[in-house]
Amino acid sequence: MHGPLQFSVDEFFGTISPRIWLAVFIFTIGMLLAYGVMGVTSRLLERMGVVETIEGTSFERTTNEFGTSTARIITQLSGVFTILLATFVAITVADLQFVGLFWSSVAIFLPQLFIAIVILVVGVVVADKVELLVSERLRGVKLPEIGLIPLLAKYSVLFVAILIALSQIGVAVLALIVLLGAYALALIVFTALATQDLLASGTAGVYLLLNQPYSIGDEVKVGGQRGIVQEVDLLVTRIETDGEEHIIPNRTVLKDGIVRIQQ
Amino acid sequence: MTSLSDILTDLVSDVDGVFLFSPNGSFHERFDGIENVVVVGAENTVEADTFVELPIQFADVTDRIRFGIEGAMDDGLVGEGDVLACIGSLFSDDADFTSRVRVDESMRSGIYDLFTNSRADPTVISDVFEVALELGRKGQKGKPVGALFVVGDAGKVMNKSRPLSYNPFEKSHVHVGDPIVNVMLKEFSRLDGAFVISDSGKIVSAYRYLEPSAEGVDIPKGLGARHMAGGAITRDTNATAIVLSESDGLVRAFKGGKLILELDPEEY
């Protein structure tokens, strides 16, 4: 009664080569390893304070809406990657010729894709965080246009992240890099142009504050204006005559020189 | 038969505006449907549209209400003859009193003006007030001490005064409001003469002997030379003088040669 069934099972197992068994074994190990990797990753993320740092960014909020979190996404990614790696090793061991060609190219592509995704996620989170920090800094400035600056900072970070991610998976990004270069150059040139007066006044102000060639209450003449010094700060010197207050940038003070009127 | 709530209704009936003194968020929300609500407090924590900032937490409620109304008058929120209901907290942190006040030009004592329309920053003036009040409360090593701070218009003040000795604050960059600087000011308060503080709060000099002309200075009789000097310098310049009296321990503020505000440090 049991004979034929026993035989068929034996035969069934017999036809499967030991290689397949090994492959299944490796795959199982891979699954367990993936579980371990996920645990280690999530604990590592928590230990490094990543979870608290990214709290409140809009990416984190979006992931929360889908009932997950950034940390969990990264953990899951690492788990999936480990499983895929195990699958690949298992298939290699099983020596399945017909898929070998396909998988060998996937094997090279996979880690790159994994790194690209991680870079993208990190980029999005960092971009959100940068936006948050910059807008926090600019909160005191009550200008509607000021909202543009945090957005600009956010998209700059995002752009760089996408660039790195794309180059990681081998997409031609030369044109985009040129664009980035032009953008960075424009940014530097414009900042330099916009702040050159402030920078010059600031450095002159440091000298004036440290050495105090003139102090509050002195009567001085700067650039044709004569009056009593009321205030010296980093950027400007305030000089007052009867009913008139002259606010003179410190670079003018240093450039034109100052006449102190002896009493 | 009148009930208590009828009396309270009389108190707040036909008012032109409501003044809330340092309300908390949920309490302020209950006033959503009411017009002309003005919030008065140290900080606009409830993000009210109309807000009057209190630079110091006046212990005296009349001072507090006066200051709030004066600020609102300056901002054009209320005018003479308006009747206001003032709601604030006296003993606990929650609102626990209501007062009916008629706005009167005579309420304009210049206290609000002293802080907001002085040459110096309002924060600088309130910082100096705090130092003076603390000095009056604790004294210098337990002994009562006097001090004279001249705030704002420092260039002119320096030209109307001369040094009594070397200026300990020369080539230093210290500003009032730093905790460590407040300790320094207390230590230096045993020096004779005045402290001169600039519009932005920089301590320009200590040990200054003020030389204003005391002509036409209107300060109460019986105050000493320190008050006279402080009052007179504010008439000659656009500065504000904050004086701590050694004899009666009160802090007084002068502006334009007039006594504007008198505070007892023990009450703060």
Side-chain angles (χ1 to χ4, degrees):
Chain A
M1 283 292 271
H2 299 284
L5 187 67
Q6 194 87 45
F7 173 72
S8 67
V9 169
D10 275 348
E11 198 179 35
F12 176 66
F13 278 109
T15 52
I16 298 167
S17 70
R19 276 176 172 277
I20 306 269
W21 282 117
L22 198 60
V24 170
F25 177 69
I26 286 172
F27 185 71
T28 318
I29 296 270
M31 288 292 245
L32 289 175
L33 206 64
Y35 188 71
V37 164
M38 280 167 78
V40 169
T41 314
S42 82
R43 222 167 294 165
L44 208 64
L45 286 174
E46 206 163 318
R47 272 282 184 80
M48 293 195 304
V50 173
V51 177
E52 289 139 57
T53 319
I54 58 178
E55 209 165 25
T57 57
S58 66
F59 183 76
E60 175 79 2
R61 273 204 296 276
T62 316
T63 54
N64 282 348
E65 262 171 40
F66 289 111
T68 174
S69 70
T70 314
R72 204 179 297 158
I73 285 178
I74 295 200
T75 312
Q76 278 163 353
L77 264 175
S78 65
V80 166
F81 178 66
T82 316
I83 291 173
L84 282 174
L85 200 72
T87 315
F88 173 70
V89 172
I91 284 169
T92 316
V93 168
D95 206 15
L96 297 175
Q97 283 301 326
F98 57 95
V99 282
L101 213 63
F102 169 68
W103 281 104
S104 65
S105 59
V106 168
I108 299 163
F109 184 64
L110 237 141
Q112 291 175 346
L113 183 68
F114 174 69
I115 292 171
I117 292 173
V118 168
I119 287 172
L120 212 58
V121 169
V122 169
V124 169
V125 169
V126 168
D128 279 344
K129 197 75 194 171
V130 165
E131 185 194 11
L132 228 64
L133 282 178
V134 173
S135 64
E136 197 92 335
R137 261 298 170 84
L138 296 173
R139 179 161 291 175
V141 188
K142 295 268 188 284
L143 267 177
E145 292 84 5
I146 215 81
L148 202 66
I149 294 176
L151 271 182
L152 215 65
K154 176 187 170 174
Y155 286 119
S156 303
V157 174
L158 214 56
F159 184 65
V160 172
I162 290 173
L163 215 61
I164 298 173
L166 282 180
S167 74
Q168 194 57 231
I169 55 172
V171 176
V173 287
L174 192 66
L176 287 175
I177 288 176
V178 171
L179 199 66
L180 177 73
Y183 171 68
L185 194 71
L187 204 68
I188 290 168
V189 168
F190 278 127
T191 322
L193 272 178
T195 57
Q196 68 155 347
D197 277 2
L198 289 180
L199 275 176
S201 282
T203 39
V206 169
Y207 165 76
L208 291 180
L209 285 174
L210 283 181
N211 287 324
Q212 291 202 356
Y214 55 89
S215 57
I216 294 173
D218 287 352
E219 193 171 3
V220 295
K221 203 162 112 183
V222 184
Q225 300 294 349
R226 189 179 162 144
I228 291 167
V229 180
Q230 280 283 9
E231 199 88 64
V232 185
D233 62 28
L234 201 59
L235 295 179
V236 295
T237 295
R238 287 159 198 269
I239 289 171
E240 205 175 81
T241 51
D242 288 324
E244 278 179 66
E245 186 177 12
H246 303 284
I247 299 166
I248 298 164
N250 282 336
R251 56 191 283 267
T252 317
V253 173
L254 221 58
K255 212 168 84 190
D256 297 355
I258 191 153
V259 183
R260 232 175 87 186
I261 288 133
Q262 300 284 344
Q263 314 238 321
Chain B
M1 186 67 189
T2 52
S3 69
L4 263 179
S5 42
D6 287 338
I7 294 171
L8 199 63
T9 312
D10 284 350
L11 212 57
V12 295
S13 62
D14 305 325
V15 290
D16 299 299
V18 181
F19 275 50
L20 298 178
F21 289 82
S22 318
N24 55 29
S26 56
F27 186 68
H28 178 251
E29 271 171 28
R30 287 165 63 186
F31 288 82
D32 267 353
I34 300 169
E35 279 181 19
N36 293 334
V37 175
V38 178
V39 172
V40 186
E43 255 178 89
N44 194 355
T45 49
V46 294
E47 305 200 340
D49 298 332
T50 46
F51 174 70
V52 175
E53 191 184 328
L54 277 184
I56 47 177
Q57 201 60 38
F58 293 96
D60 191 350
V61 179
T62 21
D63 276 349
R64 217 185 297 170
I65 291 176
R66 271 221 184 100
F67 187 93
I69 291 177
E70 223 182 306
M73 272 205 279
D74 267 32
D75 293 349
L77 298 172
V78 296
E80 184 159 13
D82 285 0
V83 178
L84 306 169
C86 299
I87 301 168
S89 48
L90 203 53
F91 294 102
S92 60
D93 286 338
D94 299 325
D96 57 7
F97 80 83
T98 303
S99 165
R100 189 183 174 91
V101 187
R102 178 176 287 276
V103 179
D104 198 334
E105 270 306 313
S106 68
M107 286 180 106
R108 233 182 241 279
S109 55
I111 301 179
Y112 183 79
D113 202 53
L114 178 76
F115 285 96
T116 47
N117 295 335
S118 288
R119 263 196 68 123
D121 282 348
T123 50
V124 172
I125 293 191
S126 58
D127 280 340
V128 175
F129 254 109
E130 241 142 65
V131 173
L133 288 171
E134 201 178 323
L135 204 58
R137 205 162 38 235
K138 293 193 183 141
Q140 232 285 321
K141 305 223 157 61
K143 285 192 195 118
V145 70
L148 168 51
F149 302 93
V150 185
V151 189
D153 206 3
K156 232 172 175 181
V157 173
M158 290 299 275
N159 279 307
K160 288 207 177 282
S161 61
R162 60 178 70 236
L164 284 168
S165 179
Y166 297 107
N167 174 18
F169 289 101
E170 190 164 9
K171 295 211 174 179
S172 65
H173 299 283
V174 288
H175 287 74
V176 286
D178 287 340
I180 187 73
V181 174
N182 290 354
V183 175
M184 259 161 83
L185 278 178
K186 268 182 241 167
E187 285 296 322
F188 282 126
S189 68
R190 77 176 94 182
L191 305 179
D192 207 1
F195 289 100
V196 180
I197 294 161
S198 82
D199 295 338
S200 66
K202 182 180 185 290
I203 300 168
V204 181
S205 181
Y207 261 143
R208 291 304 279 198
Y209 174 71
L210 305 177
E211 293 182 311
S213 61
E215 229 174 290
V217 177
D218 175 32
I219 65 168
K221 298 282 181 291
L223 295 175
R226 185 177 282 134
H227 290 80
M228 182 57 91
I233 194 85
T234 64
R235 208 187 59 92
D236 269 15
T237 65
N238 290 319
T240 305
I242 293 162
V243 189
L244 169 64
S245 169
E246 199 170 344
S247 48
D248 62 7
L250 296 184
V251 174
R252 295 184 179 85
F254 295 90
K255 198 183 161 188
K258 281 200 210 58
L259 175 63
I260 304 286
L261 178 63
E262 202 173 71
L263 297 171
D264 188 352
E266 296 298 331
E267 287 173 7
Y268 289 85

